[in-house]
């Protein structure tokens, strides 16, 4: 078995998609499955992680030659908006393009049940839910960085934090407003800023954030974020899964999320706290109340411990077995 494991625009793609691809290639190494990162029609299976024009071209030709095509449904029109400059304008024509692109695959991998439900409105192509997974080895030794990263960004516990690209869709407005309403907390968003790629509203929110709200920019060792943070606050409005959320849980951090369909698998009060997503102002008040409750170290410890235990179901070992079965079925 040889896999063509392809990420179009691989030198430019960052964030969750790149991290998922890194996980997949670690899994292929672990399973001792030979693969190339180039698109080729000489493999037993073409696995595309981003269905851009080149991937579509290769997928169509692979199908014509009887080579099975597996595509990842990382991208949807729904989660494309409120991300970077011009993405709102592109979100509408993106759906018909993705309907055709995903329709070229023999099978689709969906990172969550929510994503699967969404993708089934795009195409009749068979779908399988396989988590992006969490790489526990990546986090090893993170606690040793606590003092270094708190001193670097002048953070005092309890620190409310988030990890990932700073984009509006992930709840930037809520994050900044929470910092404004809770001056007794330090807030830190660890992740690339890329201001040239942001829209005016995103740039304005970053530039007018209160002094207790820090945007670190790119962090060379992301373990430092999980070391410095105490409460993972993820007010995202739309998410296909959320690798950073899984990493925070694996690190034993209590998580606070907006109650959206993506996070239906999380149990409020057991392995997280959830905030009603229906009304923005109500949600903001509930976020404030939840963070004030999380000043209690006992509550943070209980939720963090339960989150760590829950995250074990998303280990790369578990995900690897799912990929092996999927590859064997397709080939």
């Amino acid at each position: 078995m040889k896999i063509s494991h392809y990420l179009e625009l691989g030198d430019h793609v960052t964030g969750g998609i790149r991290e998922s691809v890194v996980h997949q290639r670690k899994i292929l190494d672990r399973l001792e499955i030979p693969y190339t990162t180039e698109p080729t029609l000489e493999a037993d299976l073409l696995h595309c992680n981003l269905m851009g024009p080149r991937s579509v071209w290769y997928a169509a030709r692979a199908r014509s030659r009887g080579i099975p095509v597996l595509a990842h449904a990382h991208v949807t029109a729904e989660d494309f908006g409120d991300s970077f400059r011009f993405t709102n304008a592109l979100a509408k024509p993106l759906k018909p393009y993705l309907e055709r692109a995903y329709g070229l695959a023999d099978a689709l991998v969906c990172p969550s049940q929510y994503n699967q439900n969404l993708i089934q409105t795009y195409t009749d192509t068979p779908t399988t839910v396989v988590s992006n997974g969490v790489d526990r080895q990546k986090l090893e030794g993170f606690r040793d960085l606590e003092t270094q990263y708190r001193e670097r960004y002048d953070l005092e516990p309890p620190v409310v934090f988030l990890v990932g690209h700073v984009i509006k869709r992930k709840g930037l407005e809520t994050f900044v407003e929470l910092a404004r309403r809770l001056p007794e907390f330090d807030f830190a968003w660890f992740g690339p800023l890329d201001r040239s790629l942001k829209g005016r509203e995103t740039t304005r929110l970053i530039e007018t954030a209160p002094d207790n709200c820090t945007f670190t920019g790119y962090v060379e060792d992301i373990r430092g974020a999980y070391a410095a943070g105490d409460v993972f606050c993820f007010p995202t409005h739309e998410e296909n899964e959320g690798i950073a959320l899984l990493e925070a849980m694996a690190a034993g951090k209590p998580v606070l999320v907006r109650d959206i369909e993506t996070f239906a698998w999380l149990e409020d009060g057991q392995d997280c706290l959830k905030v009603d997503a229906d009304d923005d102002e109500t949600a903001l008040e509930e976020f404030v109340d939840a963070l004030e409750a999380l000043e209690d170290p006992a509550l943070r410890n209980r939720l963090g411990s339960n989150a760590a235990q829950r995250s074990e179901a998303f280990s790369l070992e578990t995900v690897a077995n799912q990929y092996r079965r999927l590859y064997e079925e397709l080939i």
Side-chain angles (χ1 to χ4, degrees), residues 316-331:
L316 292 191
E317 291 81 6
T318 299
V319 176
N321 291 329
Q322 293 175 286
Y323 271 115
R324 184 199 295 275
R325 288 193 298 270
L326 187 55
Y327 286 152
E328 289 175 348
E329 288 171 6
L330 287 170
I331 294 174

Side-chain angles (χ1 to χ4, degrees), residues 60-293:
R61 276 143 191 81
R63 287 289 299 272
S64 70
R65 297 189 185 189
I67 300 169
V69 177
L70 177 65
H72 242 87
H74 291 300
V75 178
T76 65
E78 286 76 7
D79 84 334
F80 199 65
D82 282 338
S83 294
F84 299 101
R85 186 175 292 180
F86 306 126
T87 54
N88 283 355
L90 293 171
K92 187 173 182 180
L94 181 64
K95 185 168 183 177
Y97 170 82
L98 290 175
E99 288 173 345
R100 175 177 176 271
Y102 289 150
L104 289 170
D106 292 283
L108 293 169
V109 172
C110 300
S112 66
Q113 184 64 57
Y114 166 70
N115 178 259
Q116 183 185 52
N117 294 341
L118 201 57
I119 291 299
Q120 286 173 344
T121 70
Y122 282 59
T123 177
D124 293 331
T125 301
T127 56
T128 301
V129 175
V130 182
S131 170
N132 290 312
V134 58
D135 184 2
R136 295 178 179 278
Q137 289 183 341
K138 169 185 170 182
L139 298 173
E140 287 180 355
F142 78 94
R143 291 184 179 85
D144 297 337
L145 300 173
E146 180 179 322
T147 300
Q148 175 187 341
Y149 273 74
R150 283 186 172 170
E151 289 180 352
R152 177 183 297 184
Y153 298 110
D154 192 25
L155 301 172
E156 293 291 335
V159 177
V160 180
F161 77 112
L162 188 51
V163 174
H165 276 285
V166 181
I167 55 180
K168 189 178 178 183
R169 171 177 57 80
K170 290 186 181 289
L172 173 60
E173 189 169 6
T174 299
F175 195 83
V176 170
E177 184 59 28
L178 286 171
R180 188 169 284 113
R181 295 199 184 191
L182 294 168
E184 66 272 25
F185 286 90
D186 278 344
F187 286 72
W189 191 318
F190 296 86
L193 288 171
D194 300 327
R195 292 184 189 227
S196 63
L197 300 176
K198 310 296 184 189
R200 288 183 181 178
E201 179 66 11
T202 298
T203 301
R204 182 190 66 79
L205 287 168
I206 294 170
E207 292 177 346
T208 60
D211 291 341
N212 65 323
C213 187
T214 299
F215 294 96
T216 68
Y218 173 77
V219 178
E220 71 278 4
D221 188 344
I222 202 60
R223 295 179 304 161
Y226 298 107
D230 294 292
V231 176
F232 188 82
C233 180
F234 199 19
T236 183
H237 295 274
E238 179 76 27
E239 207 72 27
N240 281 322
E241 184 181 35
I243 293 177
L245 171 73
L246 297 179
E247 290 175 345
M249 293 175 70
K253 302 297 178 177
V255 297
L256 172 59
V257 298
R258 196 181 299 271
D259 189 8
I260 57 177
E261 190 178 344
T262 310
F263 302 139
W265 60 276
L266 287 167
E267 186 176 347
D268 183 29
Q270 181 64 26
D271 46 31
C272 74
L273 291 183
K274 289 185 176 181
V275 165
D276 187 359
D278 291 338
D279 176 77
D280 285 345
E281 186 57 36
T282 301
L284 188 61
E285 295 298 334
E286 290 190 18
F287 270 114
V288 169
D289 292 344
L291 286 173
E292 288 177 340

